[in-house]
Amino acid sequence: MAEAASLLAPDAVVRTFADTSWGDDGATREVEDIVESGHVLAFPRLAFALADSERRFLDPRWADPAAKNVSLRWPAGELRGAAGAAAELDDLRRMVVRYAEMSETLALRLFPHYRGHLRRGNTSFRPTDVAGRIRSWRQDDTRLHVDAFPSNPMQGTRLLRVFCNVNPSGVPRRWRVGESFEAHARRYLGSIGRPWPGSAWLLATLGITKRRRTGYDHLMLQLHDRAKADAGFQSASPQQRVDFAPGTTWVCFSDQVLHAAMGGQHMLEQTFYLGAGDLAHPASAPLAILERLTGRALLD
Ligand SMILES: [Fe+2]
């Protein structure tokens, strides 16, 4: 029988704030220390308001069945993965653009240190149920993991994400969160070998990766895969269930916080990129932690 998971203290990962405004008048600001130390910042009173005419978009029919979600690609802001008539998709796009802009305003208030450095990544709208998606174990986001992608090496760049549950019928977004990044790295680092010499060059040359997979990316991908493949870790490691009710916004570095999406439907998500050197505390980054633990430079 699987060992029972040890529960993390209620505020070990998630810190809650009472803000009700996305704008510059909101209460919480200059909280770089909190997000960089691996916390999730939750705002249960910070809803993303939909116009009455936008409520029709809370329906899986707007997502192209071949795509995982509806997304906007920046800087052009073109809409991908959506199905519908052109005029309707214009309205859908406007809603997602508004979320991108409000998320950016919020992020720059919470983390003014990042101004001038934060780059807007994809904005996605997920009207489909988490539970309904069938995937391989590697793509199964109901398993605890840190974000890392085989084809998209980050080369140390951070992934900051702003999520909002816009479910209209009271359904929470259910997550699990887990141990600290450093504890997680220590758990697996000793068993991770180095990549084959020349493999990073080959993957980039063949177009399998968008850019070179550095030593950092190799380790991040291995951590992602080891965790998801380890049933004992999934069931028995220190963790906590977190329900994000509709109307809740939450923010974290998803390349640092151990997380799993267990259920929910209708969510908006904004990704930002930030250079590891542009953090208030670069020593808190996964890159710095992994370089310290391995004793070698990982961006070569
Ligand atoms: Fe993830």
Side-chain angles (χ1 to χ4, degrees):
M1 207 173 80
E3 201 182 323
S6 51
L7 290 179
L8 294 169
D11 67 345
V13 179
V14 180
R15 297 286 165 86
T16 302
F17 301 88
D19 300 49
T20 55
S21 170
W22 294 78
D24 290 335
D25 55 337
T28 305
R29 54 192 68 233
E30 295 179 42
V31 284
E32 292 89 347
D33 291 6
I34 300 175
V35 75
E36 291 181 17
S37 55
H39 291 97
V40 177
L41 282 62
F43 301 89
R45 299 174 64 197
L46 192 57
F48 178 71
L50 300 189
D52 288 342
S53 62
E54 290 172 337
R55 296 191 181 280
R56 66 193 150 128
F57 297 128
L58 301 178
D59 187 314
R61 73 187 167 95
W62 297 96
D64 182 335
K68 261 169 55 167
N69 50 60
V70 174
S71 66
L72 284 187
R73 302 277 176 101
W74 300 98
E78 75 265 24
L79 190 69
R80 308 263 190 108
E88 294 179 309
L89 293 186
D90 275 353
D91 290 344
L92 174 57
R93 182 179 176 279
R94 261 193 292 280
M95 178 182 86
V96 183
V97 167
R98 191 170 80 248
Y99 183 73
E101 290 170 348
M102 289 171 73
S103 295
E104 193 162 307
T105 302
L106 175 69
L108 292 175
R109 164 163 64 85
L110 297 175
F111 319 120
H113 189 85
Y114 305 161
R115 186 173 290 279
H117 305 292
L118 211 56
R119 279 188 299 121
R120 196 187 281 184
N122 283 0
T123 318
S124 65
F125 170 52
R126 303 179 178 211
T128 50
D129 198 318
V130 165
R133 295 198 234 127
I134 300 163
R135 314 172 199 77
S136 69
W137 65 267
R138 192 174 271 120
Q139 294 170 317
D140 180 0
D141 288 339
T142 68
R143 302 179 190 211
L144 284 165
H145 65 283
V146 286
D147 285 346
F149 313 105
S151 64
N152 195 11
M154 286 290 108
Q155 301 185 335
T157 296
R158 306 302 311 277
L159 287 166
L160 179 72
R161 290 192 152 147
V162 179
F163 306 89
C164 186
N165 183 355
V166 290
N167 189 286
S169 39
V171 178
R173 196 78 176 176
R174 293 187 295 112
W175 270 27
R176 289 185 292 149
V177 292
E179 63 194 359
S180 73
F181 183 85
E182 179 157 346
H184 192 60
R186 287 180 185 277
R187 182 186 290 274
Y188 292 114
L189 267 186
S191 65
I192 299 175
R194 299 206 190 190
W196 293 103
S199 62
W201 172 84
L202 189 64
L203 290 167
T205 302
L206 295 176
I208 295 168
T209 53
K210 292 181 187 173
R211 57 192 80 78
R212 212 170 56 80
R213 186 183 289 174
T214 63
Y216 169 77
D217 295 295
H218 170 74
L219 289 180
M220 291 296 286
L221 206 51
Q222 285 290 319
L223 289 177
H224 171 277
D225 289 358
R226 299 286 171 112
K228 282 190 173 177
D230 185 345
F233 167 73
Q234 292 295 326
S235 63
S237 67
Q239 57 192 275
Q240 186 192 16
R241 278 187 52 168
V242 189
D243 282 1
F244 299 106
T248 302
T249 297
W250 64 105
V251 183
C252 70
F253 279 112
S254 64
D255 54 0
Q256 179 176 10
V257 174
L258 265 288
H259 63 282
M262 307 310 293
Q265 184 179 11
H266 304 304
M267 183 181 73
L268 283 151
E269 176 183 323
Q270 176 64 51
T271 297
F272 296 101
Y273 300 112
L274 183 72
D278 297 322
L279 295 163
H281 307 284
S284 69
L287 173 63
I289 292 170
L290 292 172
E291 289 191 331
R292 173 163 53 79
L293 294 178
T294 59
R296 59 180 199 267
L298 293 173
L299 290 186
D300 299 340

